[in-house]
mmCIF file of all heavy atoms in Angstrom:
data_model
loop_
_atom_site.group_PDB
_atom_site.id
_atom_site.type_symbol
_atom_site.label_atom_id
_atom_site.label_comp_id
_atom_site.label_asym_id
_atom_site.label_seq_id
_atom_site.Cartn_x
_atom_site.Cartn_y
_atom_site.Cartn_z
ATOM 1 N N ALA A 128 -188.997 -215.621 -32.649
ATOM 2 C CA ALA A 128 -189.412 -216.228 -33.940
ATOM 3 C C ALA A 128 -188.198 -216.962 -34.461
ATOM 4 O O ALA A 128 -188.298 -218.108 -35.104
ATOM 5 C CB ALA A 128 -189.933 -215.232 -34.881
ATOM 6 N N ASP A 129 -187.061 -216.198 -34.423
ATOM 7 C CA ASP A 129 -185.785 -216.960 -34.941
ATOM 8 C C ASP A 129 -185.576 -218.206 -34.068
ATOM 9 O O ASP A 129 -185.092 -219.233 -34.708
ATOM 10 C CB ASP A 129 -184.661 -215.951 -34.680
ATOM 11 C CG ASP A 129 -184.656 -214.774 -35.661
ATOM 12 O OD1 ASP A 129 -185.499 -214.858 -36.702
ATOM 13 O OD2 ASP A 129 -183.923 -213.892 -35.491
ATOM 14 N N TYR A 130 -185.799 -218.189 -32.798
ATOM 15 C CA TYR A 130 -185.534 -219.363 -31.982
ATOM 16 C C TYR A 130 -186.505 -220.507 -32.375
ATOM 17 O O TYR A 130 -186.082 -221.652 -32.402
ATOM 18 C CB TYR A 130 -185.579 -219.011 -30.465
ATOM 19 C CG TYR A 130 -184.868 -219.992 -29.593
ATOM 20 C CD1 TYR A 130 -183.637 -220.544 -29.912
ATOM 21 C CD2 TYR A 130 -185.314 -220.406 -28.396
ATOM 22 C CE1 TYR A 130 -183.004 -221.416 -29.088
ATOM 23 C CE2 TYR A 130 -184.729 -221.334 -27.550
ATOM 24 C CZ TYR A 130 -183.513 -221.832 -27.845
ATOM 25 O OH TYR A 130 -182.823 -222.663 -27.067
ATOM 26 N N LEU A 131 -187.732 -220.190 -32.548
ATOM 27 C CA LEU A 131 -188.622 -221.117 -33.060
ATOM 28 C C LEU A 131 -188.153 -221.825 -34.239
ATOM 29 O O LEU A 131 -188.284 -223.128 -34.475
ATOM 30 C CB LEU A 131 -190.037 -220.541 -33.196
ATOM 31 C CG LEU A 131 -191.126 -221.426 -33.691
ATOM 32 C CD1 LEU A 131 -191.393 -222.653 -32.875
ATOM 33 C CD2 LEU A 131 -192.494 -220.709 -33.890
ATOM 34 N N ASP A 132 -187.639 -221.017 -35.230
ATOM 35 C CA ASP A 132 -187.051 -221.616 -36.442
ATOM 36 C C ASP A 132 -185.909 -222.522 -36.179
ATOM 37 O O ASP A 132 -185.759 -223.607 -36.801
ATOM 38 C CB ASP A 132 -186.706 -220.480 -37.433
ATOM 39 C CG ASP A 132 -187.798 -219.734 -37.992
ATOM 40 O OD1 ASP A 132 -188.945 -220.252 -38.046
ATOM 41 O OD2 ASP A 132 -187.573 -218.552 -38.465
ATOM 42 N N MET A 133 -185.027 -222.204 -35.226
ATOM 43 C CA MET A 133 -183.930 -223.022 -34.876
ATOM 44 C C MET A 133 -184.506 -224.318 -34.270
ATOM 45 O O MET A 133 -183.916 -225.400 -34.564
ATOM 46 C CB MET A 133 -183.106 -222.336 -33.868
ATOM 47 C CG MET A 133 -182.340 -221.126 -34.376
ATOM 48 S SD MET A 133 -181.431 -220.158 -33.128
ATOM 49 C CE MET A 133 -180.425 -221.421 -32.329
ATOM 50 N N LEU A 134 -185.467 -224.315 -33.449
ATOM 51 C CA LEU A 134 -185.951 -225.435 -32.807
ATOM 52 C C LEU A 134 -186.647 -226.404 -33.901
ATOM 53 O O LEU A 134 -186.533 -227.664 -33.736
ATOM 54 C CB LEU A 134 -187.052 -225.127 -31.812
ATOM 55 C CG LEU A 134 -186.461 -224.507 -30.560
ATOM 56 C CD1 LEU A 134 -187.596 -223.997 -29.679
ATOM 57 C CD2 LEU A 134 -185.648 -225.471 -29.757
ATOM 58 N N ARG A 135 -187.273 -225.908 -34.832
ATOM 59 C CA ARG A 135 -187.883 -226.676 -35.889
ATOM 60 C C ARG A 135 -186.892 -227.513 -36.696
ATOM 61 O O ARG A 135 -187.275 -228.471 -37.405
ATOM 62 C CB ARG A 135 -188.770 -225.774 -36.773
ATOM 63 C CG ARG A 135 -190.040 -225.436 -36.139
ATOM 64 C CD ARG A 135 -190.827 -224.352 -36.981
ATOM 65 N NE ARG A 135 -192.148 -224.187 -36.427
ATOM 66 C CZ ARG A 135 -192.938 -223.173 -36.606
ATOM 67 N NH1 ARG A 135 -192.455 -222.137 -37.345
ATOM 68 N NH2 ARG A 135 -194.273 -223.109 -36.078
ATOM 69 N N LYS A 136 -185.593 -227.123 -36.663
ATOM 70 C CA LYS A 136 -184.537 -227.920 -37.231
ATOM 71 C C LYS A 136 -183.762 -228.751 -36.320
ATOM 72 O O LYS A 136 -182.951 -229.528 -36.713
ATOM 73 C CB LYS A 136 -183.561 -226.898 -37.920
ATOM 74 C CG LYS A 136 -184.112 -225.998 -38.936
ATOM 75 C CD LYS A 136 -183.120 -224.950 -39.317
ATOM 76 C CE LYS A 136 -183.811 -223.945 -40.335
ATOM 77 N NZ LYS A 136 -182.973 -222.755 -40.598
ATOM 78 N N ALA A 137 -184.233 -228.819 -35.036
ATOM 79 C CA ALA A 137 -183.609 -229.584 -33.987
ATOM 80 C C ALA A 137 -184.205 -230.942 -33.890
ATOM 81 O O ALA A 137 -185.013 -231.257 -32.949
ATOM 82 C CB ALA A 137 -183.587 -228.877 -32.701
ATOM 83 N N ASP A 138 -183.862 -231.861 -34.832
ATOM 84 C CA ASP A 138 -184.575 -233.198 -34.835
ATOM 85 C C ASP A 138 -184.044 -234.052 -33.695
ATOM 86 O O ASP A 138 -184.670 -235.085 -33.485
ATOM 87 C CB ASP A 138 -184.293 -233.815 -36.200
ATOM 88 C CG ASP A 138 -184.935 -233.113 -37.439
ATOM 89 O OD1 ASP A 138 -185.954 -232.458 -37.107
ATOM 90 O OD2 ASP A 138 -184.426 -233.243 -38.539
ATOM 91 N N ASP A 139 -183.065 -233.669 -33.014
ATOM 92 C CA ASP A 139 -182.485 -234.528 -31.919
ATOM 93 C C ASP A 139 -183.165 -234.214 -30.572
ATOM 94 O O ASP A 139 -182.849 -234.811 -29.556
ATOM 95 C CB ASP A 139 -180.946 -234.361 -31.885
ATOM 96 C CG ASP A 139 -180.569 -232.868 -31.696
ATOM 97 O OD1 ASP A 139 -181.283 -231.976 -32.157
ATOM 98 O OD2 ASP A 139 -179.536 -232.572 -31.059
ATOM 99 N N LEU A 140 -184.002 -233.260 -30.522
ATOM 100 C CA LEU A 140 -184.705 -232.837 -29.235
ATOM 101 C C LEU A 140 -186.189 -232.982 -29.372
ATOM 102 O O LEU A 140 -186.839 -232.736 -30.476
ATOM 103 C CB LEU A 140 -184.338 -231.281 -28.854
ATOM 104 C CG LEU A 140 -182.981 -230.978 -28.541
ATOM 105 C CD1 LEU A 140 -182.893 -229.503 -28.328
ATOM 106 C CD2 LEU A 140 -182.454 -231.790 -27.340
ATOM 107 N N ASP A 141 -186.781 -233.340 -28.269
ATOM 108 C CA ASP A 141 -188.225 -233.413 -28.114
ATOM 109 C C ASP A 141 -188.687 -232.017 -27.551
ATOM 110 O O ASP A 141 -189.080 -231.943 -26.394
ATOM 111 C CB ASP A 141 -188.714 -234.593 -27.289
ATOM 112 C CG ASP A 141 -188.490 -235.923 -27.980
ATOM 113 O OD1 ASP A 141 -188.443 -236.012 -29.228
ATOM 114 O OD2 ASP A 141 -188.206 -236.907 -27.172
ATOM 115 N N TRP A 142 -188.693 -230.994 -28.401
ATOM 116 C CA TRP A 142 -188.893 -229.636 -27.997
ATOM 117 C C TRP A 142 -190.357 -229.334 -28.110
ATOM 118 O O TRP A 142 -191.167 -229.854 -28.798
ATOM 119 C CB TRP A 142 -188.052 -228.586 -28.818
ATOM 120 C CG TRP A 142 -188.427 -228.744 -30.279
ATOM 121 C CD1 TRP A 142 -187.745 -229.552 -31.271
ATOM 122 C CD2 TRP A 142 -189.456 -227.954 -30.947
ATOM 123 N NE1 TRP A 142 -188.292 -229.249 -32.502
ATOM 124 C CE2 TRP A 142 -189.311 -228.317 -32.262
ATOM 125 C CE3 TRP A 142 -190.344 -227.013 -30.506
ATOM 126 C CZ2 TRP A 142 -190.193 -227.725 -33.225
ATOM 127 C CZ3 TRP A 142 -191.254 -226.460 -31.511
ATOM 128 C CH2 TRP A 142 -191.130 -226.861 -32.906
ATOM 129 N N THR A 143 -190.735 -228.405 -27.317
ATOM 130 C CA THR A 143 -192.069 -227.675 -27.330
ATOM 131 C C THR A 143 -191.974 -226.210 -27.065
ATOM 132 O O THR A 143 -191.197 -225.841 -26.176
ATOM 133 C CB THR A 143 -193.086 -228.292 -26.362
ATOM 134 O OG1 THR A 143 -193.214 -229.741 -26.479
ATOM 135 C CG2 THR A 143 -194.475 -227.581 -26.336
ATOM 136 N N PHE A 144 -192.579 -225.443 -27.876
ATOM 137 C CA PHE A 144 -192.518 -223.939 -27.818
ATOM 138 C C PHE A 144 -193.940 -223.394 -27.474
ATOM 139 O O PHE A 144 -194.823 -223.618 -28.302
ATOM 140 C CB PHE A 144 -192.053 -223.393 -29.142
ATOM 141 C CG PHE A 144 -191.699 -221.945 -29.236
ATOM 142 C CD1 PHE A 144 -190.347 -221.527 -29.060
ATOM 143 C CD2 PHE A 144 -192.688 -220.918 -29.510
ATOM 144 C CE1 PHE A 144 -190.042 -220.159 -29.120
ATOM 145 C CE2 PHE A 144 -192.384 -219.648 -29.610
ATOM 146 C CZ PHE A 144 -190.996 -219.263 -29.460
ATOM 147 N N LEU A 145 -194.186 -222.946 -26.220
ATOM 148 C CA LEU A 145 -195.472 -222.548 -25.897
ATOM 149 C C LEU A 145 -195.588 -221.111 -25.937
ATOM 150 O O LEU A 145 -194.910 -220.279 -25.115
ATOM 151 C CB LEU A 145 -195.811 -223.065 -24.436
ATOM 152 C CG LEU A 145 -197.088 -222.553 -23.856
ATOM 153 C CD1 LEU A 145 -198.265 -222.814 -24.781
ATOM 154 C CD2 LEU A 145 -197.342 -223.297 -22.480
ATOM 155 N N SER A 146 -196.405 -220.444 -26.917
ATOM 156 C CA SER A 146 -196.471 -219.048 -27.042
ATOM 157 C C SER A 146 -197.715 -218.530 -26.142
ATOM 158 O O SER A 146 -198.766 -219.129 -26.246
ATOM 159 C CB SER A 146 -196.750 -218.773 -28.516
ATOM 160 O OG SER A 146 -195.662 -218.876 -29.343
ATOM 161 N N PRO A 147 -197.552 -217.522 -25.462
ATOM 162 C CA PRO A 147 -198.631 -216.934 -24.746
ATOM 163 C C PRO A 147 -199.454 -216.046 -25.632
ATOM 164 O O PRO A 147 -199.093 -215.952 -26.806
ATOM 165 C CB PRO A 147 -197.864 -215.978 -23.650
ATOM 166 C CG PRO A 147 -196.672 -215.579 -24.456
ATOM 167 C CD PRO A 147 -196.232 -216.798 -25.196
ATOM 168 N N SER A 148 -200.588 -215.563 -25.098
ATOM 169 C CA SER A 148 -201.361 -214.607 -25.986
ATOM 170 C C SER A 148 -200.612 -213.312 -25.921
ATOM 171 O O SER A 148 -199.585 -213.114 -25.357
ATOM 172 C CB SER A 148 -202.719 -214.533 -25.346
ATOM 173 O OG SER A 148 -203.483 -215.704 -25.605
ATOM 174 N N ALA A 149 -201.126 -212.261 -26.627
ATOM 175 C CA ALA A 149 -200.444 -211.008 -26.841
ATOM 176 C C ALA A 149 -200.202 -210.253 -25.543
ATOM 177 O O ALA A 149 -199.148 -209.826 -25.323
ATOM 178 C CB ALA A 149 -201.273 -210.124 -27.817
ATOM 179 N N LEU A 150 -201.161 -210.319 -24.642
ATOM 180 C CA LEU A 150 -201.000 -209.558 -23.346
ATOM 181 C C LEU A 150 -200.714 -210.688 -22.312
ATOM 182 O O LEU A 150 -201.511 -211.616 -22.027
ATOM 183 C CB LEU A 150 -202.369 -208.872 -22.960
ATOM 184 C CG LEU A 150 -202.207 -207.971 -21.721
ATOM 185 C CD1 LEU A 150 -201.133 -206.947 -21.839
ATOM 186 C CD2 LEU A 150 -203.588 -207.366 -21.341
ATOM 187 N N PHE A 151 -199.521 -210.693 -21.734
ATOM 188 C CA PHE A 151 -198.965 -211.680 -20.909
ATOM 189 C C PHE A 151 -198.651 -210.991 -19.558
ATOM 190 O O PHE A 151 -197.664 -210.236 -19.382
ATOM 191 C CB PHE A 151 -197.640 -212.182 -21.465
ATOM 192 C CG PHE A 151 -197.189 -213.594 -21.008
ATOM 193 C CD1 PHE A 151 -198.053 -214.449 -20.248
ATOM 194 C CD2 PHE A 151 -195.865 -213.961 -21.202
ATOM 195 C CE1 PHE A 151 -197.594 -215.592 -19.856
ATOM 196 C CE2 PHE A 151 -195.471 -215.165 -20.776
ATOM 197 C CZ PHE A 151 -196.220 -216.011 -20.057
ATOM 198 N N VAL A 152 -199.550 -211.181 -18.544
ATOM 199 C CA VAL A 152 -199.551 -210.408 -17.405
ATOM 200 C C VAL A 152 -199.818 -211.244 -16.167
ATOM 201 O O VAL A 152 -200.303 -212.404 -16.237
ATOM 202 C CB VAL A 152 -200.580 -209.317 -17.385
ATOM 203 C CG1 VAL A 152 -200.294 -208.185 -18.535
ATOM 204 C CG2 VAL A 152 -202.039 -209.788 -17.646
ATOM 205 N N HIS A 153 -199.530 -210.659 -14.955
ATOM 206 C CA HIS A 153 -199.906 -211.389 -13.664
ATOM 207 C C HIS A 153 -201.474 -211.093 -13.482
ATOM 208 O O HIS A 153 -202.085 -210.205 -13.931
ATOM 209 C CB HIS A 153 -199.215 -210.755 -12.498
ATOM 210 C CG HIS A 153 -197.836 -211.261 -12.390
ATOM 211 N ND1 HIS A 153 -197.602 -212.626 -12.066
ATOM 212 C CD2 HIS A 153 -196.538 -210.600 -12.525
ATOM 213 C CE1 HIS A 153 -196.266 -212.782 -11.948
ATOM 214 N NE2 HIS A 153 -195.570 -211.625 -12.247
ATOM 215 N N GLY A 154 -201.973 -212.186 -12.849
ATOM 216 C CA GLY A 154 -203.456 -212.133 -12.598
ATOM 217 C C GLY A 154 -203.880 -213.473 -11.877
ATOM 218 O O GLY A 154 -203.039 -214.101 -11.404
ATOM 219 N N PRO A 155 -205.160 -213.710 -11.910
ATOM 220 C CA PRO A 155 -205.643 -214.870 -11.220
ATOM 221 C C PRO A 155 -205.214 -216.177 -11.823
ATOM 222 O O PRO A 155 -205.032 -216.276 -13.072
ATOM 223 C CB PRO A 155 -207.123 -214.729 -11.180
ATOM 224 C CG PRO A 155 -207.442 -213.873 -12.316
ATOM 225 C CD PRO A 155 -206.234 -212.939 -12.450
ATOM 226 N N ARG A 156 -205.072 -217.259 -11.043
ATOM 227 C CA ARG A 156 -204.815 -218.569 -11.535
ATOM 228 C C ARG A 156 -206.271 -219.253 -11.586
ATOM 229 O O ARG A 156 -206.723 -219.764 -10.627
ATOM 230 C CB ARG A 156 -203.943 -219.333 -10.638
ATOM 231 C CG ARG A 156 -203.609 -220.810 -11.017
ATOM 232 C CD ARG A 156 -202.807 -221.551 -9.882
ATOM 233 N NE ARG A 156 -202.425 -222.847 -10.275
ATOM 234 C CZ ARG A 156 -203.170 -223.925 -10.269
ATOM 235 N NH1 ARG A 156 -204.549 -223.820 -9.839
ATOM 236 N NH2 ARG A 156 -202.767 -225.094 -10.629
ATOM 237 N N THR A 157 -206.775 -219.234 -12.739
ATOM 238 C CA THR A 157 -208.172 -219.809 -12.955
ATOM 239 C C THR A 157 -208.217 -221.211 -13.351
ATOM 240 O O THR A 157 -209.244 -221.864 -13.064
ATOM 241 C CB THR A 157 -208.918 -218.934 -14.013
ATOM 242 O OG1 THR A 157 -208.399 -219.199 -15.274
ATOM 243 C CG2 THR A 157 -208.839 -217.382 -13.720
ATOM 244 N N GLY A 158 -207.239 -221.686 -14.048
ATOM 245 C CA GLY A 158 -207.296 -223.045 -14.584
ATOM 246 C C GLY A 158 -208.213 -223.165 -15.799
ATOM 247 O O GLY A 158 -208.387 -224.273 -16.396
ATOM 248 N N THR A 159 -208.829 -222.080 -16.282
ATOM 249 C CA THR A 159 -209.679 -222.117 -17.333
ATOM 250 C C THR A 159 -209.060 -221.321 -18.533
ATOM 251 O O THR A 159 -208.889 -220.120 -18.387
ATOM 252 C CB THR A 159 -211.023 -221.490 -16.990
ATOM 253 O OG1 THR A 159 -211.519 -222.300 -15.944
ATOM 254 C CG2 THR A 159 -212.026 -221.633 -18.132
ATOM 255 N N PHE A 160 -208.732 -221.993 -19.625
ATOM 256 C CA PHE A 160 -208.122 -221.315 -20.728
ATOM 257 C C PHE A 160 -208.285 -222.177 -21.989
ATOM 258 O O PHE A 160 -208.719 -223.368 -21.932
ATOM 259 C CB PHE A 160 -206.599 -221.013 -20.461
ATOM 260 C CG PHE A 160 -205.914 -222.215 -19.917
ATOM 261 C CD1 PHE A 160 -205.431 -223.246 -20.748
ATOM 262 C CD2 PHE A 160 -205.558 -222.217 -18.587
ATOM 263 C CE1 PHE A 160 -204.762 -224.362 -20.185
ATOM 264 C CE2 PHE A 160 -204.877 -223.220 -18.025
ATOM 265 C CZ PHE A 160 -204.499 -224.339 -18.772
ATOM 266 N N ARG A 161 -207.856 -221.672 -23.152
ATOM 267 C CA ARG A 161 -207.940 -222.390 -24.393
ATOM 268 C C ARG A 161 -206.586 -222.636 -24.921
ATOM 269 O O ARG A 161 -205.586 -221.864 -24.715
ATOM 270 C CB ARG A 161 -208.801 -221.664 -25.481
ATOM 271 C CG ARG A 161 -210.276 -221.518 -25.086
ATOM 272 C CD ARG A 161 -210.888 -220.738 -26.180
ATOM 273 N NE ARG A 161 -210.507 -219.295 -26.354
ATOM 274 C CZ ARG A 161 -210.407 -218.708 -27.513
ATOM 275 N NH1 ARG A 161 -210.702 -219.247 -28.654
ATOM 276 N NH2 ARG A 161 -209.911 -217.435 -27.513
ATOM 277 N N LEU A 162 -206.449 -223.699 -25.672
ATOM 278 C CA LEU A 162 -205.196 -223.951 -26.384
ATOM 279 C C LEU A 162 -205.368 -223.920 -27.875
ATOM 280 O O LEU A 162 -206.351 -224.174 -28.381
ATOM 281 C CB LEU A 162 -204.640 -225.364 -26.073
ATOM 282 C CG LEU A 162 -204.328 -225.657 -24.589
ATOM 283 C CD1 LEU A 162 -203.900 -227.130 -24.391
ATOM 284 C CD2 LEU A 162 -203.389 -224.746 -23.965
ATOM 285 N N GLY A 163 -204.383 -223.527 -28.492
ATOM 286 C CA GLY A 163 -204.338 -223.388 -30.072
ATOM 287 C C GLY A 163 -203.017 -223.821 -30.614
ATOM 288 O O GLY A 163 -202.133 -224.317 -29.920
ATOM 289 N N LYS A 164 -202.939 -223.555 -31.891
ATOM 290 C CA LYS A 164 -201.678 -223.950 -32.545
ATOM 291 C C LYS A 164 -200.828 -222.807 -32.994
ATOM 292 O O LYS A 164 -200.181 -222.245 -32.153
ATOM 293 C CB LYS A 164 -202.003 -224.816 -33.748
ATOM 294 C CG LYS A 164 -202.585 -226.143 -33.399
ATOM 295 C CD LYS A 164 -201.534 -227.203 -32.874
ATOM 296 C CE LYS A 164 -200.633 -227.686 -34.008
ATOM 297 N NZ LYS A 164 -199.841 -228.721 -33.552
ATOM 298 N N ASP A 165 -200.990 -222.338 -34.201
ATOM 299 C CA ASP A 165 -200.243 -221.193 -34.713
ATOM 300 C C ASP A 165 -200.962 -219.903 -34.913
ATOM 301 O O ASP A 165 -200.327 -218.904 -35.188
ATOM 302 C CB ASP A 165 -199.596 -221.585 -36.027
ATOM 303 C CG ASP A 165 -198.516 -222.662 -35.878
ATOM 304 O OD1 ASP A 165 -197.620 -222.625 -35.115
ATOM 305 O OD2 ASP A 165 -198.573 -223.684 -36.733
#
Side-chain angles (χ1 to χ4, degrees):
D129 290 344
Y130 201 41
L131 177 57
D132 289 340
M133 291 170 58
L134 290 171
R135 284 172 168 158
K136 298 171 185 174
D138 294 335
D139 55 331
L140 292 176
D141 292 332
W142 60 269
T143 297
F144 189 97
L145 176 52
S146 288
S148 290
L150 188 60
F151 198 18
V152 294
H153 279 293
R156 182 188 183 279
T157 70
T159 302
F160 47 78
R161 295 180 293 147
L162 301 180
K164 293 283 288 189
D165 293 312

